Amino acid sequence: MITLAMDIGGTKLAAALVDSALQIIARREIPTPASQTPDALEAALRDLVTPLWPQAQQFAIASTGIIQHGVLTSINPSNLGGLSHFPLVDVLTTLTGLPGVALNDAQAAALAEYQQMPPAIRDMVFITVSTGVGGGVIQSGRLVTGSGGLTGHCGHTLADPNGPRCGCGRVGCVEAIASGRGIAAAAEGDLAGLDAKAIFAHAARGHEQAVALVERSARTLARLIADLKALTDCQRVVIGGSIGLADGYLPRVQSYLAQEPSAYQTELSSARHQGNAGLLGAALWAQGNLS
Ligand code: ADP
Ligand code: BMX
């Protein structure tokens, strides 16, 4: 059984053919279209999957946003160019004629990463630090999605009541400070207008403001992890997303977490599947729900 897996993020769209042993046999990636009308997203998805889908028997989507009944609803529409609703599963079924499923990107990644955990770990949280900040919660060995699909949306918990307004409508969310968009939005002077990747490159060369922006993100994430430990008693937090996986980021988070009282500390690790965690988690979800 070959699954066409897709990962829809605020910055990039990825697709892969994944076999029953969860091996990736082909993979493509394109930027998320800048003008994100439903038509633009549909056209980009068509371009992405056309070379792949004829070899697949089913599809599986990991997507940014709250995913319920195959429909994407943004909690932070500004992450997705203002796109608030998109009928993911219907669009892909029409495009490919295949049966398929969809779930949130961080929830999918949590599922894939949990497969790699030692059996003693029953409670785990995955956090993506990427365009936004997303999360997936494993409790007692099972992925929790919630009745409304919202479980794990830890990017929208409060980091600073005096912080920036988040695209979700709240003020001071973790995402508004720690995410790629949050880092870029706070940049001033010679860093103004740069994306988070470029700001990390400046930080690596010791640029004072860039270092401060990266530290602010890592400190905010560490506090979030302490909150998640209190809420879920997680034995492990796995960090992914291009910012979460960036050189030196995890050790920074670790050093801020070490400043918290011991009850709020937990083991941290980088996503074993790196940038493929969402794709593989979606394929696993399809194996459990379709095959
Ligand atoms: P998506 O949000 O689409 O899943 P990513 O996980 O790649 O995509 O996250 C995109 C964010 O990560 C952007 O803000 C981008 O600037 C930033 N980014 C990409 N590569 C790097 C890198 N090597 N170091 C730091 N930040 C990066
Ligand atoms: C936002 C939210 C989450 C998502 C997270 C990471 C939207 C469109 N997305 O908090 O559902 O998991 O971003 O998304 O409201 P990414 O695009 O950074 O991977």
Side-chain angles (χ1 to χ4, degrees):
M1 172 74 77
I2 304 288
T3 303
L4 168 67
M6 286 153 270
D7 187 350
I8 300 176
T11 300
K12 61 180 172 20
L13 308 176
L17 292 172
V18 180
D19 69 14
S20 311
L22 282 190
Q23 297 302 306
I24 292 181
I25 50 185
R27 190 188 191 283
R28 311 186 69 218
E29 193 174 299
I30 60 174
T32 307
S35 114
Q36 281 153 342
T37 58
D39 285 353
L41 184 56
E42 184 173 340
L45 287 170
R46 185 182 307 112
D47 286 353
L48 180 68
V49 304
T50 296
L52 299 176
W53 74 259
Q55 295 163 71
Q57 286 85 51
Q58 59 184 18
F59 69 81
I61 308 169
S63 175
T64 189
I66 296 164
I67 313 298
Q68 254 200 313
H69 311 302
V71 177
L72 181 178
T73 305
S74 295
I75 189 165
N76 183 354
S78 65
N79 273 8
L80 212 44
L83 188 72
S84 57
H85 294 278
F86 188 79
L88 271 178
V89 168
D90 281 356
V91 165
L92 265 297
T93 301
T94 305
L95 216 63
T96 64
L98 300 172
V101 290
L103 83 165
N104 169 267
D105 54 358
Q107 291 171 351
L111 206 55
E113 291 297 320
Y114 187 64
Q115 297 297 304
Q116 310 286 323
M117 287 292 129
I121 295 193
R122 304 289 295 155
D123 300 314
M124 187 207 94
V125 176
F126 173 87
I127 303 175
T128 176
V129 191
S130 37
T131 312
V133 172
V137 176
I138 304 282
Q139 287 271 266
S140 305
R142 296 184 67 84
L143 176 70
V144 186
T145 57
S147 53
L150 189 63
T151 303
H153 276 79
C154 55
H156 303 284
T157 57
L158 182 66
D160 176 3
N162 301 310
R165 182 170 287 279
C166 181
C168 76
R170 298 189 79 193
V171 170
C173 287
V174 168
E175 178 162 298
I177 297 170
S179 70
R181 285 281 171 90
I183 292 169
E188 293 173 344
D190 59 334
L191 298 185
L194 297 183
D195 65 11
K197 184 175 183 177
I199 292 169
F200 270 74
H202 277 78
R205 293 193 292 271
H207 186 291
E208 201 177 323
Q209 187 201 160
V211 170
L213 288 169
V214 172
E215 293 287 343
R216 176 173 167 263
S217 167
R219 190 168 58 242
T220 302
L221 206 78
R223 289 178 180 152
L224 169 66
I225 291 166
D227 288 352
L228 289 168
K229 171 72 176 177
L231 282 171
T232 68
D233 199 11
C234 48
Q235 298 156 283
R236 176 79 67 90
V237 170
V238 179
I239 312 280
S242 289
I243 289 168
L245 295 168
D247 263 0
Y249 187 80
L250 188 67
R252 283 180 152 108
V253 174
Q254 183 80 68
S255 75
Y256 284 112
L257 186 61
Q259 295 171 24
E260 297 281 345
S262 61
Y264 304 112
Q265 296 193 21
T266 188
E267 278 180 29
L268 299 185
S269 59
S270 286
R272 294 265 303 262
H273 294 300
Q274 301 275 297
N276 290 327
L279 290 167
L280 294 174
L284 259 176
W285 187 250
Q287 284 180 5
N289 291 281
L290 274 175
S291 307

